[in-house]
Amino acid sequence: MLQTAMVAVRDRQRLQEIVGVLLRHGLGDVARRLRLAGWLPAGGGDDALSAEVREASTAQRLRMALEQLGPTFVKLGQMLATRADLLPPEWTRELERLHAAAAPVPWEEIGPRLEADLGGPVDGIFPGFAHEPIAAASMAQVYRAQLPDGRAIALKVRRPGLRRRIDADLRLLGQLVALAAEHWPALTRYRPREVLAELHAALREEMDLTQEARNTEAVAAELAGRGDVCIPRIHWAYTTERVLAMDFVEGVTPGDSAQLAAQGLDGPRVARRGAQAFLQMVLDGGVFHADPHPGNLFALPGDRVAFIDFGMVGRLSPRRREQLLSLLAAIVGGDADALVGVMLDLSEGGAPDVAALAAGAERFVARHGGGVHDLVQAIDDFMAIVRGASLYLPADLALLFKALATADGMLRRLDPALDLVATVAPMVRSAMAARYSAGAVGARGRAAAAQLYDMADDLPQVLRLVLHHLKQGRVHAEVEVRHFDRIADALERAATRLAIAIVAAAFVLGLAPRVLGWGPTWGGIPVFGLLGLALTVAALIVLLWTFRHRR
């Protein structure tokens, strides 16, 4: 491919490095499948592998190779670790072990860049600045400093030259994805183009430390009413794209039982508060900590809990939160049919195996419907259903499930008896009650009415366009139906749900005049009532069609 050759010239050294790392970790076959054999170093082969690599599984070899290739590939592996809907557990478990620790950049390299960003000598701005970093990762390293008023802060500084290297890696990955589409069709199952797009977005956000600052403040605003939760304050006067200044938080890590006891902290109480705070992020704010590992979660005096490092967050739109509520309600209520419906609604693309999905949902409800006592196992079982039915979960939900499992593991170090699902149940019931309250129904009724009015404006033009194409004989339809026996049940379920939704819409329209306090008329006939009648007739037509189809 000419484009690949051009990129290879521009990033020749990096491409050779990537192929060399693959070869040293016993993954040379990947390069050969992608037609990159010309970039393999001479003399490489299985006989050159180290003893550690020889004894490792393929998943372990991949994890070690990604760690050696640096921040872009570590981030790629971390993203793949969330995709239990695409990869089997042995792969995601291994990729979860990826760590971003790295040797620190010497002060002589990072100091001048930091001082340029701050606009002056570091020692003059921060009294008692410590030149040795307290943490170093592949993306940034952290220093402890002190404000003139004596408050301790943490300075997170992006590594020099990071953007240039990541941009080169992303260019090369784009070409590798294109080569995979051409020469390795089996990889299509793992949606490499979509994963690469997510990687682009995640790295673009994570490299901009002002975005991490905004994430931190968004979560702090959502949890502002909780005196039992600590989120570090951002100091914007010292924050730029490459530098983040925030309060220094010092506490006890969840696994340090000796320190918990020494400071008189109540582990179960801290765990309960941490669980409630995390679930509030998810269900109310829609912005949640996506990597609550031991270094990012602390117990503080007064049995408070602290979350730090919001470089990796997940976001759930209002629509996704509604879907999540429906999913949780189906699980908590032990409703297999509702579980199937929500999972079909969530799936992105593909040709789902509805029979396998229904059977898997029945097994899941039988095992977990009475109460989920092991969240990690429940998530594993849920993802097994997704893989078995050839569903694709949206990336934001896959990330949430990974974060839930991580949070559950961390909080159980504080309280082994913690039941995260039992904690979320009252919140789900409260949210569902709010969803169907009179005010919420009224708001949806007003939104539906506005959309119907907009559709009414567009309808004459659309009909004229359709009639024009019919007159010109330019309407062409191509329909290909495969595995009809497998999707017949799915059609019936979809039609029934559609009918129920139409009846619900008619009910909302019928209530609209009472909720809104007014109602338009047309020739003395209530418009909402007329629309409700039309929708009810449409529902009957859908149900009759379904009955005829089954016959």
Side-chain angles (χ1 to χ4, degrees), residues 272-516:
R272 186 170 61 254
R273 289 174 167 178
Q276 291 170 346
F278 184 82
L279 294 169
Q280 184 176 338
M281 292 182 213
V282 173
L283 296 175
D284 293 348
V287 180
F288 61 91
H289 200 304
D291 191 22
H293 63 69
N296 294 337
L297 192 153
F298 300 106
L300 304 180
D303 295 331
R304 296 184 302 146
V305 62
F307 293 91
I308 68 168
D309 192 356
F310 289 87
M312 186 176 177
V313 300
R315 292 184 177 83
L316 300 177
S317 66
R319 168 63 177 158
R320 185 74 76 229
R321 293 203 295 274
E322 291 227 349
Q323 291 174 319
L324 177 62
L325 280 172
S326 298
L327 178 66
L328 292 172
I331 293 173
V332 171
D335 188 338
D337 286 339
L339 184 59
V340 169
V342 177
M343 292 177 73
L344 287 172
D345 187 33
L346 285 169
S347 181
E348 295 185 333
D353 185 337
V354 179
L357 176 59
E362 292 287 352
R363 288 194 303 271
F364 184 90
V365 167
R367 183 171 186 178
H368 301 289
V372 177
H373 304 294
D374 186 339
L375 182 64
V376 173
Q377 184 60 56
I379 290 176
D380 283 349
D381 291 346
F382 182 85
M383 290 302 188
I385 298 172
V386 171
R387 292 192 302 272
S390 301
L391 300 178
Y392 293 109
L393 284 185
D396 52 5
L397 203 58
L399 181 61
L400 171 61
F401 287 151
K402 169 65 168 57
L404 276 171
T406 304
D408 183 68
M410 292 306 100
L411 295 172
R412 280 178 179 269
R413 295 186 181 188
L414 293 163
D415 179 13
L418 178 70
D419 187 342
L420 202 58
V421 176
T423 303
V424 78
M427 302 176 73
V428 171
R429 286 194 290 268
S430 176
M432 294 295 282
R435 181 199 240 177
Y436 294 108
S437 66
V441 170
R444 286 199 291 273
R446 287 190 292 273
Q451 291 179 1
L452 286 171
Y453 281 128
D454 290 342
M455 289 172 61
D457 288 340
D458 294 338
L459 188 58
Q461 182 178 355
V462 172
L463 288 174
R464 280 196 298 269
L465 186 62
V466 171
L467 288 172
H468 172 73
H469 284 301
L470 285 172
K471 288 179 180 179
Q472 299 296 320
R474 284 158 45 192
V475 175
H476 175 68
E478 182 176 341
V479 179
E480 181 180 4
V481 179
R482 298 182 179 181
H483 309 298
F484 188 82
D485 57 334
R486 184 175 286 179
I487 66 173
D489 288 339
L491 287 172
E492 182 180 7
R493 288 176 184 272
T496 304
R497 277 193 218 102
L498 176 60
I500 293 172
I502 293 173
V503 171
F507 178 70
V508 170
L509 286 171
L511 286 179
R514 291 180 179 273
V515 174
L516 300 175

Side-chain angles (χ1 to χ4, degrees), residues 82 146 352:
T82 71
Q146 194 175 38

Side-chain angles (χ1 to χ4, degrees), residues 21 31 114 145 159 194 210 275 339 392 412 460 537:
V21 169
L114 175 57
R159 284 177 172 256
E194 290 82 355
T210 62
L339 184 59
Y392 293 109
R412 280 178 179 269
V537 172

Side-chain angles (χ1 to χ4, degrees), residues 135-191:
S138 56
M139 297 279 288
Q141 50 199 57
V142 182
Y143 296 86
R144 184 165 183 170
Q146 194 175 38
L147 294 177
D149 63 6
R151 281 179 296 171
I153 65 168
L155 272 184
K156 186 174 183 178
V157 185
R158 198 176 78 192
R159 284 177 172 256
L162 185 68
R163 184 177 292 278
R164 183 172 60 254
R165 183 171 187 178
I166 286 179
D167 286 345
D169 285 345
L170 290 174
R171 284 195 300 270
L172 290 171
L173 282 172
Q175 293 305 306
L176 293 178
V177 166
L179 286 171
E182 182 178 357
H183 301 299
W184 202 348
L187 282 184
T188 305
R189 166 74 179 88
Y190 303 101
R191 313 188 85 187

